[in-house]
Amino acid sequence: MSVQQFDVVIVGAGFAGMYLLHRLRPLGISARVVEAGTDVGGTWYWNRYPGARVDIESMQYSYQFDEALQQEWRWTEKYAPQPELLKYARHVADRFDLRRDIQFETRIASAVYDARAQRWALTAEDGSAFDAQFVVMATGCLSKPNWPHIDGIGSFAGQIYHTAMWPRETVDFTGQRVAVIGTGSSGIQSIPVIAEKAKQLTVFQRTANYAIPAHNCPLDKDYEEWVKGHYAEFRAQAKQTPPGIYGRFRVGKALEATPEERQAEYEERWKAGGLAFMGAYGDLMLSKEANDTAAEFVRSKIREIVDDPATAESLCPKNIIGGKRLCVDTNYYATYNKPHVRLVDVRDKPIEAITPTGVRAHGEDFEVDALVFATGFDAMTGALTAVDIRGKEDASLRERWADGPISYLGLAMADFPNLFTVTGPGSPSVFTNMIPTIEQHVDWITDCLAWMQDRNYTAIEAEHDAERAWWEHHQEVATVGIKTTTDSWYLGANVHGKARVFMPYYGGFPDYCRKCEEVVADGYAGFAFG
Ligand code: N01
């Protein structure tokens, strides 16, 4: 196969890869997006499990780079379902004629830097080869599926699914006995929908999770009109909040409010629904005692909703609220009131084995026709280390990150010149509204390439000192408060053998953007150019 040459190879055709391609075109930079799937959409291409939908309100979860696009697109629901999100991604690809520069069904396996030529050689699993001056890994934070280590996992004779690799054809569970392993966001969204069809549903829960009702509904036309009439203002205000989300965030302290005031505040937020629940007070993630007040409120709701007291108790999370990613649900807890749905708590007694006919736990054989793994992702680093990336002097990213990742601003790594990551470890990424954050990263990378073009620079590399300083700051910020006291995928705790290092930047979107702007104003401080 001949080697295809470009100025930039972008890995991944999700929202990051698509927008970067669009931004590079006016600069006259030749770019090719290489995508493993058969279509655009990234997360929303792969995660098509029943019930998948965004947990940020649709009116905010969209691009803002093109006013006509944000005015013309119409979401139908408060929280868009996966098919509509995929339709949106396809619409963007068509509207901006992106497909002609995207190579689908091509999974990049390695990227090797030639320091003399200052170029990257990329090879795909199918043998396709690319030569590029720059590589941008737009591979997403949650894209490498995590399969648990359970004995006999390959022996199951029925249908086996992973929520993050859901088949494109419709899966019909009608009349089937189904088991779901995992109760994170994917499990919590899919369980109620699977229960509607399955004859019998058994859920294996290792850690109970907090879920706030979505109260999803058709999108209110007046609200849509109001947002569209004020989009610039709306987006600008969102950027000023720590998660980059427009909403009501209170700075007051839960512990300074009376029990009645707290109850009223939590009740109002429960009724409004969604992730904004955690915006009730500014100290919820700073003090365990404050956190307990919100956690206990949600536990009381679970006890109210779930009829069987023993099941309700199992569903009540014991860890802090917000330590793991908060879930947003539709009928999750109520699903356990259905007579054909059973919860099996495997916290103290883990699943013993997967057998040819089902799951063995608590000494019991649960025979099922289909097995759904809702067991999440090798988050933040998994999609990057899945590619054998080798920088200067054959430095391997996989080996460099064996004890945990290190990156400058989640954008670039020392010893890996001309390589950028969009929302890499050390970026606020998953703590924010992903699409606007992606736009900020892509704008930064594009502006940097244009700046280099103007100065005839051919190589850029993060400096070790700058990388270390950012990482130390990032780790310091992570230890403020109680966020890191819970095992989570933020810490890599969900993946067998993975180093425990807190990966997303916890300092908030405004501080992160300020830092990126300062770096630019200072002539790209912390980067060396060649
Ligand atoms: O994955 P998870 P996810 N035996 O890692 C369990 C985003 N997202 O795909 O907690 C039994 O959260 C594991 O148990 P434990 C969102 O950011 C967004 O659900 O490790 N159980 C856990 O319950 C989210 O946070 C949306 O003890 C095992 C579950 O599997 C992130 O993606 C929708 C096990 C995995 O939960 C990841 O969510 C979906 C074992 N051996 C996802 N191994 C929306 O926008 C693992 N588990 C709404």
Side-chain angles (χ1 to χ4, degrees):
M1 255 185 231
S2 64
V3 178
Q4 303 181 65
Q5 294 204 332
F6 300 97
D7 295 327
V8 182
V9 163
I10 302 163
V11 184
F15 286 118
M18 287 201 295
Y19 178 49
L20 181 58
L21 175 59
H22 175 70
R23 283 287 332 260
L24 292 179
R25 279 182 179 165
L27 298 180
I29 292 176
S30 69
R32 172 58 52 97
V33 179
V34 184
E35 164 60 49
T38 61
D39 206 346
V40 296
T43 286
W44 304 106
Y45 169 88
W46 298 102
N47 290 269
R48 43 181 90 209
Y49 58 84
R53 68 176 67 245
V54 65
D55 59 3
I56 299 205
E57 291 187 13
S58 322
M59 289 307 292
Q60 304 206 45
Y61 191 76
S62 57
Y63 286 123
Q64 56 193 296
F65 68 84
D66 188 277
E67 184 58 18
L69 170 68
Q70 68 176 0
Q71 289 295 332
E72 81 200 4
W73 182 260
R74 302 206 66 173
W75 299 107
T76 61
E77 296 179 48
K78 181 178 168 193
Y79 294 101
Q82 175 272 332
E84 193 165 291
L85 290 153
L86 190 54
K87 200 169 147 196
Y88 174 68
R90 286 182 179 144
H91 170 74
V92 172
D94 294 339
R95 195 186 194 288
F96 297 100
D97 189 21
L98 300 178
R99 289 176 200 278
R100 65 183 156 92
D101 290 320
I102 305 176
Q103 181 167 327
F104 292 105
E105 296 184 78
T106 309
R107 186 179 286 279
I108 295 293
S110 69
V112 179
Y113 188 65
D114 177 341
R116 264 207 332 200
Q118 294 182 330
R119 293 185 74 85
W120 285 90
L122 295 101
T123 313
E125 282 176 359
D126 67 358
S128 305
F130 304 86
D131 170 81
Q133 188 181 351
F134 298 96
V135 173
V136 182
M137 299 298 288
T139 40
C141 298
L142 295 156
S143 34
K144 173 139 190 265
N146 176 42
W147 290 93
H149 283 240
I150 303 177
D151 282 350
I153 198 161
S155 70
F156 183 61
Q159 291 299 318
I160 198 158
Y161 303 97
H162 193 295
T163 45
M165 298 171 70
W166 205 260
R168 272 182 288 155
E169 53 279 6
T170 308
V171 176
D172 185 4
F173 289 119
T174 305
Q176 293 198 13
R177 299 163 302 169
V178 183
V180 175
I181 299 177
T183 51
S185 299
S186 305
I188 282 177
Q189 286 191 327
S190 58
I191 285 161
V193 184
I194 295 173
E196 283 170 17
K197 292 281 175 67
K199 180 170 78 180
Q200 192 187 90
L201 174 63
T202 313
V203 177
F204 294 89
Q205 170 193 274
R206 186 164 67 186
T207 307
N209 243 318
Y210 295 91
I212 307 296
H215 301 305
N216 188 41
C217 56
L219 186 63
D220 183 90
K221 293 279 180 289
D222 292 340
Y223 178 65
E224 181 187 3
E225 206 176 297
W226 178 82
V227 173
K228 286 188 172 174
H230 299 80
Y231 241 138
E233 218 177 293
F234 183 73
R235 300 287 199 182
Q237 282 191 29
K239 272 190 192 142
Q240 300 310 315
T241 70
I245 299 174
Y246 183 89
R248 222 160 40 87
F249 297 91
R250 294 185 55 181
V251 286
K253 294 188 169 160
L255 296 178
E256 285 172 5
T258 64
E260 294 73 23
E261 284 166 347
R262 278 198 303 261
Q263 183 70 15
E265 180 68 26
Y266 293 144
E267 198 64 66
E268 193 189 320
R269 285 180 185 262
W270 181 268
K271 282 200 186 104
L275 297 175
F277 183 83
M278 290 303 287
Y281 294 103
D283 57 350
L284 294 184
M285 292 312 295
L286 293 176
S287 134
K288 168 83 168 62
E289 218 185 330
N291 190 282
D292 281 345
T293 64
E296 193 44 42
F297 174 86
V298 178
R299 285 192 284 262
S300 72
K301 288 290 180 192
I302 298 171
R303 291 181 189 115
E304 251 172 62
I305 299 168
V306 179
D307 296 339
D308 174 50
T311 305
E313 230 30 64
S314 285
L315 286 168
C316 282
K318 314 292 180 281
N319 46 301
I320 59 166
I321 182 167
K324 285 179 188 285
R325 166 88 171 196
L326 192 64
C327 303
V328 177
D329 79 294
T330 298
N331 298 331
Y332 175 63
Y333 296 118
T335 295
Y336 293 95
N337 292 336
K338 297 187 174 191
H340 68 294
V341 179
R342 177 173 170 192
L343 181 72
V344 180
D345 194 326
V346 291
R347 166 96 269 169
D348 296 329
K349 288 191 250 163
I351 293 171
E352 289 151 36
I354 304 295
T355 68
T357 54
V359 181
R360 186 173 304 139
H362 298 193
E364 190 179 336
D365 275 314
F366 295 83
E367 296 205 343
V368 294
D369 306 303
L371 192 47
V372 176
F373 285 90
T375 45
F377 303 87
D378 181 352
M380 311 290 301
T381 56
L384 295 168
T385 54
V387 178
D388 186 9
I389 298 177
R390 293 187 178 260
K392 269 176 19 190
E393 293 167 20
D394 208 34
S396 154
L397 188 70
R398 219 175 262 166
E399 285 166 22
R400 179 70 57 92
W401 284 3
D403 296 328
I406 176 164
S407 155
Y408 187 31
L409 298 165
L411 286 167
M413 285 81 68
D415 290 331
F416 296 85
N418 290 4
L419 176 82
F420 294 101
T421 52
V422 182
T423 62
S427 135
S429 62
V430 292
F431 289 143
T432 63
N433 184 2
M434 282 302 278
I435 299 185
T437 300
I438 281 169
E439 286 181 312
Q440 184 271 348
H441 283 54
V442 167
D443 287 342
W444 192 96
I445 293 168
T446 313
D447 293 347
C448 175
L449 293 180
W451 188 88
M452 288 176 67
Q453 228 179 17
D454 289 347
R455 287 159 183 76
N456 289 323
Y457 286 138
T458 49
I460 175 172
E461 183 187 343
E463 291 171 342
H464 280 279
D465 286 353
E467 183 184 58
R468 206 172 308 115
W470 174 253
W471 203 256
E472 278 167 10
H473 162 69
H474 155 53
Q475 292 302 315
E476 206 177 288
V477 167
T479 54
V480 174
I482 54 176
K483 187 87 184 166
T484 52
T485 59
T486 308
D487 279 351
S488 68
W489 56 256
Y490 303 134
L491 267 168
N494 64 323
V495 174
H496 189 76
K498 187 166 175 173
R500 289 177 67 108
V501 173
F502 199 77
M503 295 178 284
Y505 178 61
Y506 196 44
F509 191 54
D511 277 4
Y512 175 79
C513 291
R514 231 182 333 270
K515 171 70 184 174
C516 289
E517 284 157 18
E518 280 167 18
V519 166
V520 175
D522 220 357
Y524 288 91
F527 288 95
F529 292 89

